[in-house]
Amino acid sequence: MTRVAVLGATGAVGQRFIQLLSEHPEFDIAALTASSSSAGKPYHEAAKWRVDTPIPEAVRDVEVVETDPDAIPNDVDLVFSSLPSSVAERVEHGFCEAGYVVSSNSSNERAAEDVPLVIPEVNAEHLDLIEVQRDNRGWDGALVKNPNCSTITMVPTLAALTDFGLERVHVSTLQAVSGAGYSGVTSMEILDNVIPYIGGEEEKMETESRKLLGEFDGSEIRWHDVDVSASCNRVATLDGHLENVWAELSENPTIADIYEAFEAYPSQELHSAPDPLIETFDEPDRPQPRLDRFLGDGMAVAAGGVQETPAGIQYNCLAHNTIRGAAGASVLNGELLARDGWL
């Protein structure tokens, strides 16, 4: 078993980490960290549990410690980070310098030249950038990121279309309130409403997509030259980001070709990887968040409503934003790191 720690274990994404890791066959939770106000308390007191399953008995009475490399056991092999980016940019480097491999959901450094940004089914080979990172920074550990929750919903479907000559992408998102954190959007803001702005979200989709679809040449990632433009909107669903995508392609595939490409796109042989990765629907009104966000235990991407338009092939895609789009993505990256010998 690989011994792991969770940084920021009391927050919304941290709680998802606990849920996913508590019965994981490959990982054993050895330490939970949080702010100084929570340190020293048993986990069930430090965390206001809000996940849709009971708090796991195995961690209920575990003492929360400070988020510091010296506070966790030396035999921890892998650290999962769900820290706010303002904290992560200070703290994560300390863990990497101390020799820990960090699989992080935090947004800081996703675009950094020597930080792998990874979706295992899309660009597992980008982990080789770790060698460049270690040379550049003098670390024994490593820092690996998963992308933003809206990006991770769309990019697997784009990866399935690259053989058709991906040239330009337009996307409009309908993002669940859980993506803003428990206190991120008040009921008075979102009920009977749609908020047509999410700070920084559009830029993340437009840049992270190109890095994920790029190629590693042995020294750097050569970003894909596809143009991506995004409009991001907060809607009154609890979980599950639904996205309307228009993809302009140099070739002219049929609707049947698009569905076949989605359905044939390969998964990974990892514990948390869904098979198939992309589940498709012929119905024009699917996927829907309430019906389809838990496909593949919340790790699959759903796609449907494919049609031809003057702006290119249009389709809808959906993923669970706090499972596939956050904690589950980091856990999957951790499984890839373990399998490929990076720990």
Side-chain angles (χ1 to χ4, degrees), residues 259 281-287 303-308 314-316:
Y259 274 112
F281 294 91
D282 294 329
E283 298 93 330
D285 62 348
R286 299 284 290 277
V306 180
Q307 57 184 311
E308 297 176 5
Q314 195 276 319
Y315 61 91
N316 308 312

PDB file of all heavy atoms in Angstrom, residues 259 281-287 303-308 314-316:
ATOM      1  N   TYR A 259     -19.582  10.206 -33.034  1.00  0.00           N
ATOM      2  CA  TYR A 259     -19.976   9.271 -31.975  1.00  0.00           C
ATOM      3  C   TYR A 259     -18.996   8.103 -31.882  1.00  0.00           C
ATOM      4  O   TYR A 259     -18.625   7.670 -30.786  1.00  0.00           O
ATOM      5  CB  TYR A 259     -21.393   8.756 -32.230  1.00  0.00           C
ATOM      6  CG  TYR A 259     -22.478   9.640 -31.674  1.00  0.00           C
ATOM      7  CD1 TYR A 259     -23.335  10.349 -32.514  1.00  0.00           C
ATOM      8  CD2 TYR A 259     -22.673   9.765 -30.300  1.00  0.00           C
ATOM      9  CE1 TYR A 259     -24.341  11.162 -32.004  1.00  0.00           C
ATOM     10  CE2 TYR A 259     -23.668  10.565 -29.780  1.00  0.00           C
ATOM     11  CZ  TYR A 259     -24.499  11.259 -30.630  1.00  0.00           C
ATOM     12  OH  TYR A 259     -25.495  12.064 -30.114  1.00  0.00           O
ATOM     13  N   PHE A 281     -24.750   9.546 -25.730  1.00  0.00           N
ATOM     14  CA  PHE A 281     -26.206   9.505 -25.776  1.00  0.00           C
ATOM     15  C   PHE A 281     -26.675   9.958 -27.153  1.00  0.00           C
ATOM     16  O   PHE A 281     -26.202  10.974 -27.665  1.00  0.00           O
ATOM     17  CB  PHE A 281     -26.812  10.430 -24.713  1.00  0.00           C
ATOM     18  CG  PHE A 281     -26.550   9.994 -23.300  1.00  0.00           C
ATOM     19  CD1 PHE A 281     -25.424  10.446 -22.621  1.00  0.00           C
ATOM     20  CD2 PHE A 281     -27.412   9.129 -22.655  1.00  0.00           C
ATOM     21  CE1 PHE A 281     -25.169  10.046 -21.318  1.00  0.00           C
ATOM     22  CE2 PHE A 281     -27.177   8.718 -21.351  1.00  0.00           C
ATOM     23  CZ  PHE A 281     -26.052   9.173 -20.693  1.00  0.00           C
ATOM     24  N   ASP A 282     -27.614   9.210 -27.722  1.00  0.00           N
ATOM     25  CA  ASP A 282     -28.229   9.614 -28.985  1.00  0.00           C
ATOM     26  C   ASP A 282     -29.302  10.672 -28.775  1.00  0.00           C
ATOM     27  O   ASP A 282     -29.600  11.448 -29.685  1.00  0.00           O
ATOM     28  CB  ASP A 282     -28.861   8.405 -29.691  1.00  0.00           C
ATOM     29  CG  ASP A 282     -27.808   7.395 -30.125  1.00  0.00           C
ATOM     30  OD1 ASP A 282     -26.675   7.822 -30.435  1.00  0.00           O
ATOM     31  OD2 ASP A 282     -28.119   6.187 -30.149  1.00  0.00           O
ATOM     32  N   GLU A 283     -29.907  10.689 -27.582  1.00  0.00           N
ATOM     33  CA  GLU A 283     -30.996  11.626 -27.325  1.00  0.00           C
ATOM     34  C   GLU A 283     -30.502  13.070 -27.395  1.00  0.00           C
ATOM     35  O   GLU A 283     -29.435  13.397 -26.866  1.00  0.00           O
ATOM     36  CB  GLU A 283     -31.600  11.387 -25.939  1.00  0.00           C
ATOM     37  CG  GLU A 283     -32.209  10.007 -25.756  1.00  0.00           C
ATOM     38  CD  GLU A 283     -31.222   9.021 -25.158  1.00  0.00           C
ATOM     39  OE1 GLU A 283     -30.004   9.174 -25.411  1.00  0.00           O
ATOM     40  OE2 GLU A 283     -31.679   8.104 -24.456  1.00  0.00           O
ATOM     41  N   PRO A 284     -31.273  13.970 -28.016  1.00  0.00           N
ATOM     42  CA  PRO A 284     -30.836  15.361 -28.143  1.00  0.00           C
ATOM     43  C   PRO A 284     -30.819  16.123 -26.814  1.00  0.00           C
ATOM     44  O   PRO A 284     -30.160  17.164 -26.724  1.00  0.00           O
ATOM     45  CB  PRO A 284     -31.859  15.967 -29.107  1.00  0.00           C
ATOM     46  CG  PRO A 284     -33.077  15.113 -28.970  1.00  0.00           C
ATOM     47  CD  PRO A 284     -32.560  13.728 -28.711  1.00  0.00           C
ATOM     48  N   ASP A 285     -31.528  15.604 -25.789  1.00  0.00           N
ATOM     49  CA  ASP A 285     -31.592  16.317 -24.513  1.00  0.00           C
ATOM     50  C   ASP A 285     -30.695  15.702 -23.433  1.00  0.00           C
ATOM     51  O   ASP A 285     -30.891  15.939 -22.247  1.00  0.00           O
ATOM     52  CB  ASP A 285     -33.032  16.371 -23.996  1.00  0.00           C
ATOM     53  CG  ASP A 285     -33.612  14.982 -23.722  1.00  0.00           C
ATOM     54  OD1 ASP A 285     -32.992  13.982 -24.137  1.00  0.00           O
ATOM     55  OD2 ASP A 285     -34.689  14.915 -23.106  1.00  0.00           O
ATOM     56  N   ARG A 286     -29.710  14.940 -23.821  1.00  0.00           N
ATOM     57  CA  ARG A 286     -28.749  14.357 -22.890  1.00  0.00           C
ATOM     58  C   ARG A 286     -27.342  14.731 -23.348  1.00  0.00           C
ATOM     59  O   ARG A 286     -27.120  14.974 -24.527  1.00  0.00           O
ATOM     60  CB  ARG A 286     -28.904  12.821 -22.855  1.00  0.00           C
ATOM     61  CG  ARG A 286     -30.273  12.372 -22.386  1.00  0.00           C
ATOM     62  CD  ARG A 286     -30.489  12.504 -20.889  1.00  0.00           C
ATOM     63  NE  ARG A 286     -29.698  11.555 -20.111  1.00  0.00           N
ATOM     64  CZ  ARG A 286     -30.062  10.293 -19.885  1.00  0.00           C
ATOM     65  NH1 ARG A 286     -31.190   9.819 -20.394  1.00  0.00           N
ATOM     66  NH2 ARG A 286     -29.297   9.511 -19.128  1.00  0.00           N
ATOM     67  N   PRO A 287     -26.400  14.786 -22.396  1.00  0.00           N
ATOM     68  CA  PRO A 287     -26.499  14.452 -20.976  1.00  0.00           C
ATOM     69  C   PRO A 287     -27.131  15.571 -20.155  1.00  0.00           C
ATOM     70  O   PRO A 287     -27.189  16.717 -20.588  1.00  0.00           O
ATOM     71  CB  PRO A 287     -25.047  14.232 -20.573  1.00  0.00           C
ATOM     72  CG  PRO A 287     -24.285  15.150 -21.479  1.00  0.00           C
ATOM     73  CD  PRO A 287     -25.018  15.121 -22.796  1.00  0.00           C
ATOM     74  N   ALA A 303     -21.321  12.537 -23.251  1.00  0.00           N
ATOM     75  CA  ALA A 303     -21.419  13.380 -24.447  1.00  0.00           C
ATOM     76  C   ALA A 303     -22.647  12.994 -25.246  1.00  0.00           C
ATOM     77  O   ALA A 303     -23.023  11.821 -25.306  1.00  0.00           O
ATOM     78  CB  ALA A 303     -20.159  13.255 -25.302  1.00  0.00           C
ATOM     79  N   GLY A 304     -23.270  13.966 -25.873  1.00  0.00           N
ATOM     80  CA  GLY A 304     -24.453  13.692 -26.679  1.00  0.00           C
ATOM     81  C   GLY A 304     -24.891  14.930 -27.435  1.00  0.00           C
ATOM     82  O   GLY A 304     -24.214  15.965 -27.432  1.00  0.00           O
ATOM     83  N   GLY A 305     -26.046  14.808 -28.090  1.00  0.00           N
ATOM     84  CA  GLY A 305     -26.597  15.935 -28.831  1.00  0.00           C
ATOM     85  C   GLY A 305     -25.741  16.377 -29.998  1.00  0.00           C
ATOM     86  O   GLY A 305     -25.743  17.563 -30.361  1.00  0.00           O
ATOM     87  N   VAL A 306     -24.997  15.459 -30.614  1.00  0.00           N
ATOM     88  CA  VAL A 306     -24.097  15.830 -31.703  1.00  0.00           C
ATOM     89  C   VAL A 306     -24.902  16.259 -32.930  1.00  0.00           C
ATOM     90  O   VAL A 306     -25.844  15.587 -33.347  1.00  0.00           O
ATOM     91  CB  VAL A 306     -23.168  14.659 -32.082  1.00  0.00           C
ATOM     92  CG1 VAL A 306     -22.231  15.061 -33.220  1.00  0.00           C
ATOM     93  CG2 VAL A 306     -22.366  14.202 -30.860  1.00  0.00           C
ATOM     94  N   GLN A 307     -24.524  17.392 -33.509  1.00  0.00           N
ATOM     95  CA  GLN A 307     -25.182  17.879 -34.715  1.00  0.00           C
ATOM     96  C   GLN A 307     -24.218  18.738 -35.523  1.00  0.00           C
ATOM     97  O   GLN A 307     -23.224  19.241 -35.008  1.00  0.00           O
ATOM     98  CB  GLN A 307     -26.432  18.689 -34.362  1.00  0.00           C
ATOM     99  CG  GLN A 307     -26.181  19.865 -33.446  1.00  0.00           C
ATOM    100  CD  GLN A 307     -27.448  20.576 -33.046  1.00  0.00           C
ATOM    101  OE1 GLN A 307     -28.280  20.902 -33.900  1.00  0.00           O
ATOM    102  NE2 GLN A 307     -27.622  20.820 -31.754  1.00  0.00           N
ATOM    103  N   GLU A 308     -24.516  18.880 -36.800  1.00  0.00           N
ATOM    104  CA  GLU A 308     -23.722  19.737 -37.675  1.00  0.00           C
ATOM    105  C   GLU A 308     -24.330  21.133 -37.682  1.00  0.00           C
ATOM    106  O   GLU A 308     -25.545  21.299 -37.793  1.00  0.00           O
ATOM    107  CB  GLU A 308     -23.697  19.160 -39.097  1.00  0.00           C
ATOM    108  CG  GLU A 308     -23.024  17.794 -39.193  1.00  0.00           C
ATOM    109  CD  GLU A 308     -23.089  17.207 -40.596  1.00  0.00           C
ATOM    110  OE1 GLU A 308     -23.577  17.920 -41.497  1.00  0.00           O
ATOM    111  OE2 GLU A 308     -22.665  16.061 -40.776  1.00  0.00           O
ATOM    112  N   GLN A 314     -21.383  20.536 -33.286  1.00  0.00           N
ATOM    113  CA  GLN A 314     -21.803  20.954 -31.947  1.00  0.00           C
ATOM    114  C   GLN A 314     -22.224  19.735 -31.141  1.00  0.00           C
ATOM    115  O   GLN A 314     -22.849  18.821 -31.664  1.00  0.00           O
ATOM    116  CB  GLN A 314     -22.967  21.947 -32.031  1.00  0.00           C
ATOM    117  CG  GLN A 314     -23.234  22.716 -30.734  1.00  0.00           C
ATOM    118  CD  GLN A 314     -24.097  21.963 -29.739  1.00  0.00           C
ATOM    119  OE1 GLN A 314     -25.073  21.314 -30.130  1.00  0.00           O
ATOM    120  NE2 GLN A 314     -23.753  22.039 -28.457  1.00  0.00           N
ATOM    121  N   TYR A 315     -21.849  19.721 -29.859  1.00  0.00           N
ATOM    122  CA  TYR A 315     -22.255  18.639 -28.971  1.00  0.00           C
ATOM    123  C   TYR A 315     -22.260  19.155 -27.541  1.00  0.00           C
ATOM    124  O   TYR A 315     -21.766  20.257 -27.243  1.00  0.00           O
ATOM    125  CB  TYR A 315     -21.329  17.426 -29.114  1.00  0.00           C
ATOM    126  CG  TYR A 315     -19.882  17.679 -28.761  1.00  0.00           C
ATOM    127  CD1 TYR A 315     -19.407  17.479 -27.462  1.00  0.00           C
ATOM    128  CD2 TYR A 315     -18.974  18.115 -29.724  1.00  0.00           C
ATOM    129  CE1 TYR A 315     -18.083  17.712 -27.142  1.00  0.00           C
ATOM    130  CE2 TYR A 315     -17.645  18.344 -29.404  1.00  0.00           C
ATOM    131  CZ  TYR A 315     -17.210  18.145 -28.117  1.00  0.00           C
ATOM    132  OH  TYR A 315     -15.899  18.382 -27.794  1.00  0.00           O
ATOM    133  N   ASN A 316     -22.809  18.352 -26.662  1.00  0.00           N
ATOM    134  CA  ASN A 316     -22.855  18.677 -25.237  1.00  0.00           C
ATOM    135  C   ASN A 316     -22.038  17.646 -24.474  1.00  0.00           C
ATOM    136  O   ASN A 316     -22.047  16.464 -24.820  1.00  0.00           O
ATOM    137  CB  ASN A 316     -24.297  18.662 -24.732  1.00  0.00           C
ATOM    138  CG  ASN A 316     -25.209  19.511 -25.586  1.00  0.00           C
ATOM    139  OD1 ASN A 316     -24.885  20.654 -25.908  1.00  0.00           O
ATOM    140  ND2 ASN A 316     -26.355  18.955 -25.986  1.00  0.00           N
TER     141      ASN A 316
END
